[in-house]
Amino acid sequence: MTASAYISGAAMTAFGKLPGFSSLDLQARAAEEALQESGLARGDIDGLLVGYATTAPHLMPATRFAEAFGLRPSCAYGISVGGATGLAMVALARHLVAAGAARNVLVVAGENRRSGQSGASVTRTLSEVGDPLHEVPNGASVPAYYALAASEYMHRTGVSEEDLAELAVLMRRHAVATEGAQFRDPITVDDVMASRPIATPLKLLDCCSVSDGGASVVVSGAPSGSRTALRIAGTGESHRHQHMSSAPQDIAEGARIAAAAALRMSGHSIDQMGRAAIYDSFTITLMMLLEACGLSEPGGTAADARAGRFDRDGGTLPLNTHGGLLSYGHSGVSGGLAHLVEMVRRMREDEASASSRTPLSFLHADGGVFSSHVSLVLEGGA
Amino acid sequence: MNPIAVEICDTCGRAQLTGGYACRSCGGTALCSKPVAGDCVVTAVTKVDRSPIESPVGTVPFYLAMVTLDATPEVRVMAVCAEAVEIGQPMTVTSSDGLAPYRLEALSCKRDT
Ligand SMILES: [Zn+2]
């Protein structure tokens, strides 16, 4: 029998402009809250995973955090898989627990990316996403790379810029209802269409922002405390390429592979999922990943959004109910981990209110330019 | 016209851009470098209006495209152009030393020069 792993605590800070907090401060704030929620003591934490922070690069981010936070774990690792890092740490925490290497793993992310980022670190980070030999000297950077993926996808499917805008509007609608979200003023498709051009077809409101913030979860070998046990029922990964020039013809291929692996492990099908959280660095990222993971038909995402399928209230598959990276905010690794924290909150709420929603959720994130992929399936009511 | 440098895998014959230690398709490590003509077709294009990095064709706006090489269609090259281009358009991509920056030129320009 495969050992099980559960989410025993989950917390995140508000996202946005939080001057006066260092990256370590934000990590500690989120971790303290996640730990309290788990009901565990510092001495119970024997595994630690800490995501990279571009504003506070460190040789040993996990060891550094352990010292500051008063932990002496038996295993501790700093992790870097770009935007997939948050979910990758949760998958790895599950593997550590399943292997018997740790009983309670604290997963931590946080950085003051908005307040603490220097021009030099922006350029360095961007240059690591583009191929130094074949891409970076052309000029342009990450938004333009996703714009290229969008152009090819739209040419193939006939999806329009208004269709993409629909997802920005949906994320904003969810953020309006979420305390701690960076952007809480409602927007319309017209607002998105009229926003400043970045790289066609992407405009400012198709792109996530840059935020300060932190997020943290505790992964345990046994359900802890009185809260609903949320089991990590499936994990799947795929790492197909780093740079766009080396991507497969089907650039979202990695998402298909990771999703299939996570579903296979969970023993559930994608149609059974009651909720979804999908990485949304850009509207096009969200659309292509939703379709690659099988949550929407190819080219059908915008119609699903217009029909209310992804709505926080009343939707059959509520999606990124905190507002996602596009509107809750994007603070490096904690941006991706926030999707999971939000999912945990909503699944617990479902359980507490005896909701008829199926207690199964699907999460997916990519890092780079559709380069690294991680999928998770969470199962409630265990 | 300066060619584009690619590496051809001895084992499976597939081409890829230079800089790898093994074939990304089959894992073969015998790769031989070969210059190929820059004739290509545009498969994706974006007009870049904001960029923290300057392009070799000037400041924004400029066009960034992905193209597939006619000689080795499995190789995709990211290239820049000062003028608008369209998906499906045949172009020529050039490079001064086989590496980026890669510049896109209209086929007619190539004949003129
Ligand atoms: Zn080969």
Side-chain angles (χ1 to χ4, degrees), chain A residues 285-354:
Chain A
T285 320
L286 181 54
M287 185 173 283
M288 288 177 69
L289 291 178
L290 274 166
E291 294 174 15
C293 293
L295 290 161
S296 277
E297 292 296 319
T301 298
D304 283 346
R306 288 189 190 100
R309 182 167 172 241
F310 303 131
D311 283 359
R312 179 181 167 124
D313 302 310
T316 51
L317 187 74
L319 172 72
N320 300 352
T321 44
H322 60 316
L325 304 169
L326 286 165
S327 279
Y328 186 83
H330 190 9
S331 177
V333 176
S334 35
L337 197 56
H339 285 73
L340 178 73
V341 174
E342 168 69 8
M343 185 61 82
V344 169
R345 290 177 176 173
R346 296 288 82 80
M347 289 181 77
R348 284 181 173 158
E349 202 174 79
D350 286 347
E351 175 89 6
S353 66

Side-chain angles (χ1 to χ4, degrees), chain A residues 219-293:
Chain A
V219 174
S220 301
S224 109
S226 57
R227 292 185 180 264
T228 317
L230 293 176
R231 191 170 76 90
I232 302 168
T235 67
E237 292 188 39
S238 182
H239 308 271
R240 310 304 289 171
H241 61 272
Q242 173 66 57
H243 305 114
M244 235 189 144
S245 305
S246 299
Q249 201 65 43
D250 169 13
I251 197 170
E253 171 185 275
R256 292 175 224 289
I257 295 168
L263 290 165
R264 194 163 49 241
M265 180 175 160
S266 77
H268 300 295
S269 74
I270 198 76
D271 302 329
Q272 290 174 274
M273 298 297 135
R275 293 181 173 277
I278 307 293
Y279 204 72
D280 57 324
S281 49
F282 301 94
T283 49
I284 186 64
T285 320
L286 181 54
M287 185 173 283
M288 288 177 69
L289 291 178
L290 274 166
E291 294 174 15
C293 293

Side-chain angles (χ1 to χ4, degrees), chain A residues 76-341:
Chain A
Y77 311 100
I79 308 290
S80 302
V81 210
T85 304
L87 297 191
M89 290 196 292
V90 174
L92 180 54
R94 181 254 158 222
H95 300 331
L96 288 170
V97 166
R103 285 165 307 157
N104 297 295
V105 181
L106 181 65
V107 173
V108 185
E111 69 170 297
N112 58 350
R113 194 174 274 205
R114 187 173 187 92
S115 305
Q117 180 144 264
S118 69
S121 79
V122 176
T123 308
R124 188 181 56 241
T125 307
L126 294 174
S127 72
E128 285 169 1
V129 174
D131 185 318
L133 295 180
H134 303 293
E135 296 175 357
V136 175
N138 292 322
S141 66
V142 183
Y145 299 165
Y146 273 89
L148 284 171
S151 114
E152 205 168 64
Y153 167 86
M154 291 164 78
H155 184 76
R156 195 175 66 241
T157 59
V159 156
S160 69
E161 293 188 34
E162 286 83 357
D163 289 340
L164 287 175
E166 202 67 55
L167 297 180
V169 172
L170 172 73
M171 290 302 99
R172 184 60 61 89
R173 199 156 65 231
H174 289 171
V176 167
T178 306
E179 205 174 315
Q182 184 169 5
F183 300 103
R184 300 188 68 186
D185 298 324
I187 54 170
T188 64
V189 167
D190 288 344
D191 292 333
V192 181
M193 295 300 291
S195 63
R196 195 175 74 207
I198 302 293
T200 54
L202 304 178
K203 296 159 292 292
L204 184 66
L205 292 176
D206 286 298
C207 308
C208 66
S209 69
V210 177
S211 326
D212 301 326
S216 176
V217 304
V218 183
V219 174
S220 301
S224 109
S226 57
R227 292 185 180 264
T228 317
L230 293 176
R231 191 170 76 90
I232 302 168
T235 67
E237 292 188 39
S238 182
H239 308 271
R240 310 304 289 171
H241 61 272
Q242 173 66 57
H243 305 114
M244 235 189 144
S245 305
S246 299
Q249 201 65 43
D250 169 13
I251 197 170
E253 171 185 275
R256 292 175 224 289
I257 295 168
L263 290 165
R264 194 163 49 241
M265 180 175 160
S266 77
H268 300 295
S269 74
I270 198 76
D271 302 329
Q272 290 174 274
M273 298 297 135
R275 293 181 173 277
I278 307 293
Y279 204 72
D280 57 324
S281 49
F282 301 94
T283 49
I284 186 64
T285 320
L286 181 54
M287 185 173 283
M288 288 177 69
L289 291 178
L290 274 166
E291 294 174 15
C293 293
L295 290 161
S296 277
E297 292 296 319
T301 298
D304 283 346
R306 288 189 190 100
R309 182 167 172 241
F310 303 131
D311 283 359
R312 179 181 167 124
D313 302 310
T316 51
L317 187 74
L319 172 72
N320 300 352
T321 44
H322 60 316
L325 304 169
L326 286 165
S327 279
Y328 186 83
H330 190 9
S331 177
V333 176
S334 35
L337 197 56
H339 285 73
L340 178 73
V341 174

Side-chain angles (χ1 to χ4, degrees), chain A residues 133-134 138 140 151 198 200 246, chain B residues 18 45-47 49 78 80 102:
Chain A
L133 295 180
H134 303 293
N138 292 322
S151 114
I198 302 293
T200 54
S246 299
Chain B
T18 56
V45 63
T46 177
K47 175 174 172 251
D49 286 295
M78 187 183 285
V80 284
Y102 299 107

